[in-house]
Amino acid sequence: MRRVTAGIVAVLLLAAPMAWAADLPDAFYGHWIGSGLAENADTRALDLSPRDIDVTIEPAGDGFRVDWKSIVIDGAGTPARERADSLTFRPTDRPGVFRAEESGNPQDGGVLSWARLADNTLSIYQMAMTERGGFAFTAYDR
């Protein structure tokens, strides 16, 4: 009986990450276009930089993929800089936490990327090391 119980527990633990990915509500999947304001190192104290944002979230195997593009708008209202990124997230052994396949080590010049589903918010985090040893941190909420 102990072997049967241990086998069932092992199967449940191995299947758990797939179930957590399946818990990503369908409402998070789709394509959105909009505008937003961002505060970052490029803005002065209390200034916000306007951005046009284009985001697509879709299922990808046992996880999901996020493609986004943000266009920074300058003071004259014209596009000044564009940034695009794509990340595929896979479930971890922690409920609601996903690791990006493309995630790297900031000390080696990579970008550490992960996502978290908490309540009705999907958050995507990225952290990179700057040339001078500081850090740049980005967070997106959907």
Side-chain angles (χ1 to χ4, degrees):
M1 182 66 165
R2 285 185 189 181
R3 284 186 189 173
V4 172
T5 303
I8 291 172
V9 170
V11 167
L12 290 174
L13 288 174
L14 291 173
M18 292 181 81
W20 296 326
D23 287 341
L24 190 64
D26 287 343
F28 287 104
Y29 297 127
H31 182 230
W32 296 270
I33 298 173
S35 297
L37 297 173
E39 180 180 6
N40 59 44
D42 295 337
T43 61
R44 295 185 192 128
L46 303 178
D47 284 344
L48 299 175
S49 63
R51 297 170 187 248
D52 288 339
I53 304 165
D54 186 335
V55 178
T56 301
I57 303 174
E58 58 190 12
D62 62 346
F64 59 96
R65 178 178 177 85
V66 179
D67 299 305
W68 73 87
K69 178 171 57 173
S70 63
I71 301 172
V72 177
I73 307 300
D74 67 16
T78 57
R81 188 174 69 241
E82 183 176 311
R83 177 180 176 214
D85 209 346
S86 296
L87 295 170
T88 302
F89 293 93
R90 300 289 178 221
T92 66
D93 59 350
R94 298 176 1 189
V97 178
F98 303 85
R99 181 185 189 282
E101 289 180 348
E102 302 83 356
S103 192
N105 182 343
Q107 291 181 319
D108 295 334
V111 177
L112 180 63
S113 304
W114 70 99
R116 177 179 76 137
L117 178 62
D119 298 322
N120 292 324
T121 303
L122 175 64
S123 300
I124 298 173
Y125 303 105
Q126 293 188 297
M127 187 177 74
M129 184 179 289
T130 65
E131 289 294 321
R132 297 179 64 188
F135 68 92
F137 187 77
T138 306
Y140 298 96
D141 289 328
R142 163 77 179 97

